[in-house]
Every structure is written in structure tokens, then in C-alpha cells.
Amino acid sequence: MFLKTFRKGIHLPGHKGLTSSLPIEILPSPQQVVLPLSQHIGAPAEPLVSVGDQVLLGQKIAEAQGMVSAPLHASVAGKIIAIEPRPHVCGKMVTAIVIENNRTDEWAPEIFPRHLDPERAESDEVREIMKEAGLVGMGGAAFPTHVKYNLSPDQPIDYVILNGAECEPFLTCDHRLMVEKPDRIVFGLRVMLRAAGASKGYIVIEENKPDAIAALNRAVQGYPIEVVPVKAKYPQGEERMIIYAATRRVVPVGALPAAVGVIVNNVATAFALAEFIQSGRPLISRIITVTGNGINQPKNLEVRIGTLLEDVLNYCGGFKGNPGRIILGGPLTGSAQYRLDLPIMKGTSGILVQTEAETPKTAPSVCIRCGKCVDACPFNLLPNFLGLYCEHDQIDKAEAYGVLDCRECGSCAYVCPARRPLTQMFKNTKNKIIAAKRKTS
Ligand code: SF4
Ligand code: SF4
């Protein structure tokens, strides 16, 4: 069979065998949850509760603020014991609501099914549901979903695509969700199609997940939805690659997918939407993969949002020896973390624990001009030059060489024999350029 793919990119060992066949387990709710008000792109949510209040499971405890934001819900029933700055995955202290679990799991009265017909729903109604559910992009981007569907009338949407590629090594949470909950994912996509006014849906899945492809092919029967198997290659799960694989449409540099009539969501986001409509459950938990050679019992887990890493890792049998590095997310786009009192957030897809032996010991060196990064960049950038410009703070040159078009996929840094922290340099430079543009606008 001819499989769709894209030019360049990199072939990586998947390391998915550690967890790909393990059914999702439910992590018992922890004694405390820490819920940062900022766990999505945009303005932090505004607390609706005070210290000392009792809250019920699923109760809205913080409201979305401004145009781009998402509300927050209690992921355990119990008492609010603090609203204060707590460690956040961004490396700073960020205000969070802390709930002491009373172990009743008593649902809030507003938790009830919505009885919404996907083929008849109004798009305004669906957008409101997306917002009320606290949905954000669960592939890691954490962009509020209802904002993505706030479409301009002059940009009609033809297709909604679900990203089930899961191309990052080690992660298998989306894979297991597709195998175990295909009907809910398809229900969520049908609602999304209606919200976007789109005529067709696609679910793009890498070929190395035949059981997920089979499960979804069964679930889409009778609906205008096609499952698209694609080659297992990194970064196949990047938004532009997904769009090209499904539709052969090319998103212009600097434009959003809506510019070519497409919206892309993660399969987990579609599932979370279906959960809210069919069960009334807002986004209070998510599936993550806990994996790597440095953890005793790798698992796919359903985890309450706000559970601390240490609680998750303890449930997985703790570290195997001394951990070398703990990464939130996958090894290419995830972020290394140095403390265990960080919470699982809406956009957290996994915890990867590398052993000391797997952790690089050599320091980055100067560019040896091998050109491997150029061959790897799927967006035809020149990471070698960009790296030099960013390193020497030559921001104008970096911008002229397209640093803003970098999708931070990490392919260049992965292949670089000099171990240059290219992605990090590009990220920092992009932030500087964007901040400067904001100041002058
Ligand atoms: S991180 Fe940026 S420059 Fe590097 S390969 Fe990805 S898109 Fe290209
Ligand atoms: S891969 Fe690394 S060493 Fe080779 S050209 Fe690119 S930046 Fe330089």
C-alpha cells in the first residue's frame, strides 16, 4: 500500500513497545491536586473559589478570562487549602488552586449528559460546550479549543482532521485511547465537523498502530470520515504534515490551517469533547504515558489533572536506579524537569524517565558544518545558519533566515553531532522577536 508522507524529517527508534500493548489504568485520585490557573495558551483563568471553600468533583473553580483562555474544574472533591504560587512546568512559580481530596468523588450537580445530536447541533452551542468543558489542545499545544472554532465567515472550513499520528518516540497514550475508545473519538469528531461546518473528517494515524487504524475504521462506518494511515516518520504529527497527508493542501508560511480550510485537533481533544457531551464530565483527567528505561513499571494511565509527578511515579513503582533525566512529553518536543512537585496539566502527554546512561554527558560544541540539520528540517530551513545567528544574538539575520517559521519539532537538534541546543535557541529567539514586535505594535 502507498502510504502518505512528507519530504525530509527523521526516522527514529519508536521505543513504544514499553507501553503500546498496556491497557489504560486509572490512577487512584491523589490526596491533593495542584491546579495552575495557567495551563493553556492565553490569559490565566480567574478563581471562582476562596481558600476554605468546599468543592465538588467537576465543579468550575476558575473562569476563562479574555478572548483566549479556558476555565478550570475541580479534579477531586474536597477543600480549597491554598490559592498561591506553586512550581509550574514553565520553570516559574504560577498561581494554582490546591484542593485537599475528601475522597468522596461526589460530582457537582451541573455534571449531566448534554444529549446533543452531532448532526443537528448549532456551532455556537458546540463552541459554548467546548468552553464549558474547559477543553484545550491535548496534544501539547494547550490552545483553548472553543477559540479555534471561533471562525471568520470568510474562511470556510472544509475538513476537520484528528491527529492520531503520535510520532514522538515512547508516547502511546493516544494510541491506547484510539484502541480503547474509538467510538467516543468519532463522536467528538462528528460534533467538531458540525461546529466547523465542515463536510468531511479525517483521522491521521501512523502505520505502526494497526490496531488503532482497525478500531477507528470500524467506528467511522456510516460517517463522512476517513482514516488515513501515514508512514511512521518524525515529525509526521506536526500540524502541517498532517494537513498535507490528508488533503494535499499546503499551509502558507505564517498562516493558520484555517487559511486552507482545515482545522486540526488531537484525538484526545475529540475524546474529551465526547466525554463532556455524553457523560457531562469536564476536562478533569487525561491519559498519559509513563515510560522510559528509568521507571520500574511503565504504564498508560488516566490521571486527574493536578496530580503531582511524584504521585504518578510512585504508582509506577518509582525509579529504576538513579534517574538521569525526567522529561514531560516526548523526547523531541518535551521539556526536561528537575523537580517532582509539578502537576500533570491538560497538555501533559507523558512522563519519560531516562537512565543516567541514556543522558548525554558531553557538552554542546561549535558547529562542525556537517549539514545534517539541513537534511533533517522538514520545513526547509537552514538550522546551521539559524543556530549561529541565534547564538550571537543576530536577531535580524535569524528572522531573515526564517526563524519564525521554525515549528520547534526538534529534528535538527536530534541529528546534530555537536549536540547544539538548536531548538532551544530558536525558541528563545522567536520569543525575543515576538516580544519586540508586541512592544512596537
Ligand atoms: S526545530 Fe525548527 S529548524 Fe529544527 S528541524 Fe524543526 S522546524 Fe526545522
Ligand atoms: S547538524 Fe549541528 S554540527 Fe552539523 S551543521 Fe547542523 S548545527 Fe552544525
Side-chain angles (χ1 to χ4, degrees):
M1 179 175 56
F2 171 74
L3 284 168
K4 294 174 177 175
T5 188
F6 57 95
R7 282 186 64 240
K8 296 194 176 184
I10 50 179
H11 293 278
L12 297 168
H15 299 290
K16 295 190 186 257
L18 283 170
T19 51
S20 58
S21 60
L22 300 179
I24 298 165
E25 286 179 44
I26 297 178
L27 178 82
S29 64
Q31 192 53 43
Q32 268 184 23
V33 289
V34 176
L35 296 157
L37 296 170
S38 191
Q39 44 184 309
H40 49 262
I41 290 178
E46 179 75 19
L48 298 170
V49 291
S50 306
V51 173
D53 287 357
Q54 297 287 338
V55 293
L56 297 172
L57 183 57
Q59 179 179 331
K60 196 196 282 183
I61 54 171
E63 186 54 281
Q65 288 300 303
M67 294 291 287
V68 181
S69 185
L72 196 56
H73 301 80
S75 56
V76 295
K79 185 177 174 184
I80 308 290
I81 57 166
I83 301 176
E84 62 187 19
R86 289 286 180 112
H88 188 274
V89 297
C90 70
K92 298 180 183 155
M93 300 291 279
V94 170
T95 303
I97 299 176
V98 185
I99 311 174
E100 183 78 12
N101 190 353
N102 65 14
R103 307 251 168 229
T104 62
D105 269 357
E106 187 183 344
W107 286 99
E110 63 266 30
I111 306 300
F112 52 84
R114 288 335 195 239
H115 300 301
L116 178 127
D117 179 346
E119 273 69 45
R120 288 173 201 276
E122 297 294 331
S123 48
D124 287 354
E125 184 185 8
V126 178
R127 268 203 307 279
E128 193 54 32
I129 280 175
M130 289 168 165
K131 185 176 176 188
E132 282 307 299
L135 292 194
V136 304
M138 294 174 72
F143 187 79
T145 308
H146 68 280
V147 181
K148 196 178 249 192
Y149 281 79
N150 199 2
L151 300 158
S152 149
D154 54 6
Q155 277 193 330
I157 298 298
D158 303 315
Y159 310 119
V160 176
I161 304 176
L162 288 192
N163 184 352
E166 201 169 49
C167 60
E168 276 254 5
F170 286 98
L171 299 182
T172 58
C173 49
D174 289 348
H175 180 180
R176 290 311 311 177
L177 193 63
M178 290 188 283
V179 169
E180 297 180 34
K181 306 284 183 188
D183 294 321
R184 286 235 157 165
I185 291 171
V186 169
F187 183 91
L189 176 52
R190 288 165 57 207
V191 177
M192 287 167 164
L193 287 175
R194 187 75 190 169
S199 55
K200 184 164 184 186
Y202 292 98
I203 306 175
V204 177
I205 309 173
E206 280 194 342
E207 56 174 331
N208 56 5
K209 304 171 188 66
D211 47 359
I213 293 169
L216 279 159
N217 264 324
R218 278 193 295 275
V220 301
Q221 291 304 312
Y223 302 117
I225 299 173
E226 188 182 329
V227 177
V228 182
V230 290
K231 262 195 178 169
K233 186 170 142 185
Y234 189 84
Q236 183 64 74
E238 210 285 327
E239 199 164 68
R240 283 152 201 260
M241 307 311 179
I242 290 279
I243 293 169
Y244 185 69
T247 67
R248 289 293 184 247
R249 294 184 182 183
V250 177
V251 182
V253 168
L256 293 170
V260 294
V262 177
I263 289 182
V264 181
N265 285 115
N266 189 267
V267 286
T269 312
F271 172 74
L273 174 60
E275 281 282 279
F276 185 71
I277 295 169
Q278 297 187 316
S279 311
R281 263 178 84 113
L283 188 49
I284 57 160
S285 66
R286 64 156 298 146
I287 316 300
I288 65 166
T289 304
V290 186
T291 185
N293 295 318
I295 187 83
N296 272 316
Q297 296 159 25
K299 291 179 189 294
N300 296 297
L301 287 176
E302 182 181 336
V303 177
R304 304 282 177 105
I305 306 293
T307 305
L308 299 183
L309 299 196
E310 57 196 346
D311 291 330
V312 179
L313 295 169
N314 285 340
Y315 184 76
C316 294
F319 296 128
K320 203 194 278 178
N322 284 333
R325 191 160 56 172
I326 298 166
I327 297 172
L328 275 193
L332 279 100
T333 59
S335 56
Q337 300 293 339
Y338 303 94
R339 50 195 305 165
L340 300 182
D341 54 355
L342 297 167
I344 298 293
M345 304 212 295
K346 293 178 179 181
T348 308
S349 51
I351 308 174
L352 168 62
V353 184
Q354 294 181 319
T355 62
E356 270 188 318
E358 290 169 320
T359 310
K361 300 280 181 297
T362 49
S365 68
V366 294
C367 173
I368 57 171
R369 302 185 182 190
C370 65
K372 286 187 177 174
C373 54
V374 179
D375 292 340
C377 180
F379 300 97
N380 296 319
L381 298 174
L382 299 172
N384 47 353
F385 287 116
L386 282 175
L388 292 173
Y389 298 143
C390 293
E391 191 173 33
H392 298 291
D393 235 13
Q394 293 177 301
I395 291 180
D396 291 349
K397 280 189 175 170
E399 192 173 358
Y401 271 69
V403 72
L404 289 176
D405 302 327
C406 166
R407 307 288 294 174
E408 298 170 21
C409 70
S411 301
C412 53
Y414 182 85
V415 298
C416 176
R419 306 201 46 76
R420 289 171 62 72
L422 297 168
T423 326
Q424 198 54 50
M425 290 199 271
F426 303 157
K427 205 181 273 189
N428 293 344
T429 302
K430 283 168 70 176
N431 287 342
K432 283 183 193 170
I433 296 172
I434 292 164
K437 282 186 194 295
R438 273 205 196 114
K439 254 190 194 164
T440 52
S441 68

